Amino acid sequence: MASATPAKKMREEATCSICLNLMADPVSISCGHSYCHLCIVGFFENIRHMKPQEEKFLCPQCRAPFKTASVRPNKQLGSLIEAIKEMNCEMVCEEHGEQLHLFCEDEGQLICWRCERAPQHKGHTTALVEDVSQGYKEKLEKVVTNLRQLNDECVNLKVLMTKQINEWKDVKDTLKRSWAVKLETPEPISLELNNMYNVPELYFDVKKMLRSHQVSVTLDPDTAHRELILSEDRRQVTRGCSQDNLDTSSKRFSAFPCVLGCEGFTSGRHYFEVDVGEGTGWDLGVCIENVQRDKSMKQKPEFGFWTIRLCKKKGYIALTSLPVYLHLKEKPLVVGVLLDCEGGVVSFYNMTTGSHIFTFPKASFSDTLRPYFQVYQYSPLFLPPPDE
């Protein structure tokens, strides 16, 4: 077995037998052994904790007795330790005591010239450290850059998730307020005519509250897609064949069969109803006045739309940033839309049962809002006047 190198021997001699690290502020005792100053002081305190009157101690290594008065700083050993630390900073091979001036690319480690000749590195690709350091530095910088980008993405994702959680908390609070009217069990009302007219009181309460804000909404022909046919009173819209005789207007929806209401809202509370009947598909709600009307149109709140949808395959959906699927117990024949401009709230109600359907997360409306409708085949929409 090969003997230890001089550098290794020096390190062993400079190692404290108590903490097993290079000595810090080395001191010697009467037997000649040396320790870290704090280690030997701690040794005294441990003994005195068990034997308070003890004045003589035994060396941790050779068990020779000594007194605390014999403890002396070992400056020469301290200088030797500093030299060893400097040698470590200069990258000296622990096994051979030679400078680590080569890099083994197969093992990915620094080696000395004697390591290069050893069997474990035979046939490996080696190069001078100064020749390969720049290339590895550039690789490391790329890795650091990628890690920073990933960190930034994680931070942004965390901010987005926090924002969405807060928005959903607002939705939860709004839903609680909307459903508060259902906390009490409704009592049936006897109208004497016969039992088929018994209706829960709360249905009338919700309907009365909503209709106190009801406005008359009619359809704007200038915005209607070419496939939409409007009734003379502009309260009914049906999907049909394309009408080529209509003028070309920037207001008209060109990609999807949509139409806006004539009325615009900037403040206050406004409520309107849409008779969807037995239709198998529709989109309805509100949007800002200047939404996109071509193929780039995206029906989400961040693009100015607050709408819900019925489609054959997926059923009822709230078209939020991430669509929310709605599980309704009863099919609405009439849908009520409540807009609170100051509160930043758009809510939908099933007026067949007087129940709440969905409320969008609180928003800040900075532009005029108008009723919005998308019409599907065989699913006409009708806007009943307020007095019905």
Side-chain angles (χ1 to χ4, degrees), residues 344-376:
V345 173
V346 180
S347 297
F348 297 84
Y349 295 85
N350 178 353
M351 295 312 292
T352 308
T353 61
S355 59
H356 175 266
I357 296 177
F358 183 77
T359 295
F360 274 81
K362 188 175 181 181
S364 178
F365 304 131
S366 58
D367 202 348
T368 301
L369 293 167
R370 295 175 66 177
Y372 166 85
F373 313 92
Q374 183 167 170
V375 187
Y376 293 73

Side-chain angles (χ1 to χ4, degrees), residues 104-297:
C104 176
E105 296 189 9
D106 295 78
E107 300 290 340
Q109 69 180 85
L110 296 172
I111 60 175
C112 69
W113 66 272
R114 291 178 65 182
C115 292
E116 185 184 29
R117 298 182 180 182
Q120 63 265 36
H121 292 285
K122 187 176 181 180
H124 289 183
T125 302
T126 60
L128 291 172
V129 171
E130 54 265 29
D131 292 342
V132 297
S133 60
Q134 183 60 35
Y136 279 93
K137 181 181 179 181
E138 291 174 359
K139 289 180 181 179
L140 183 61
E141 288 175 349
K142 288 182 180 179
V143 171
V144 171
T145 300
N146 289 336
L147 287 174
R148 285 175 178 166
Q149 290 176 348
L150 287 172
N151 182 66
D152 292 341
E153 290 176 6
C154 288
V155 171
N156 293 335
L157 183 60
K158 182 178 179 181
V159 171
L160 177 61
M161 292 300 294
T162 302
K163 181 180 178 182
Q164 289 181 343
I165 289 171
N166 291 334
E167 288 177 351
W168 282 113
K169 285 181 179 178
D170 291 340
V171 173
K172 185 178 179 181
D173 292 341
T174 304
L175 289 176
K176 282 184 178 179
R177 292 194 296 270
S178 300
W179 284 98
V181 295
K182 299 181 180 181
L183 293 178
E184 296 180 4
T185 304
E187 295 290 337
I189 299 176
S190 175
L191 298 182
E192 296 183 354
L193 294 177
N194 70 47
N195 291 335
M196 67 180 294
Y197 293 101
N198 290 348
V199 185
E201 283 183 345
L202 292 180
Y203 172 77
F204 291 117
D205 292 342
V206 172
K207 192 172 184 179
K208 182 178 180 181
M209 180 274 291
L210 292 172
R211 287 190 169 176
S212 66
H213 303 290
Q214 191 167 9
V215 294
S216 177
V217 173
T218 55
L219 301 168
D220 183 359
D222 293 336
T223 65
H225 186 272
R226 291 179 179 275
E227 292 182 4
L228 298 184
I229 302 170
L230 275 57
S231 62
E232 288 188 10
D233 62 0
R234 298 180 183 177
R235 290 192 178 277
Q236 182 167 326
V237 56
T238 306
R239 179 92 172 264
C241 298
S242 180
Q243 304 173 76
D244 297 329
N245 60 335
L246 296 178
D247 64 309
T248 302
S249 170
S250 60
K251 296 181 180 180
R252 193 178 302 283
F253 285 90
S254 59
F256 303 99
C258 307
V259 62
L260 298 183
C262 292
E263 294 69 26
F265 310 116
T266 57
S267 63
R269 292 183 179 178
H270 308 278
Y271 169 77
F272 61 92
E273 294 180 354
V274 186
D275 188 334
V276 297
E278 296 290 342
T280 57
W282 43 258
D283 295 12
L284 58 90
V286 296
C287 68
I288 60 175
E289 195 165 38
N290 59 350
V291 291
Q292 292 289 329
R293 306 184 186 195
D294 52 19
K295 290 183 179 179
S296 62
M297 181 180 112

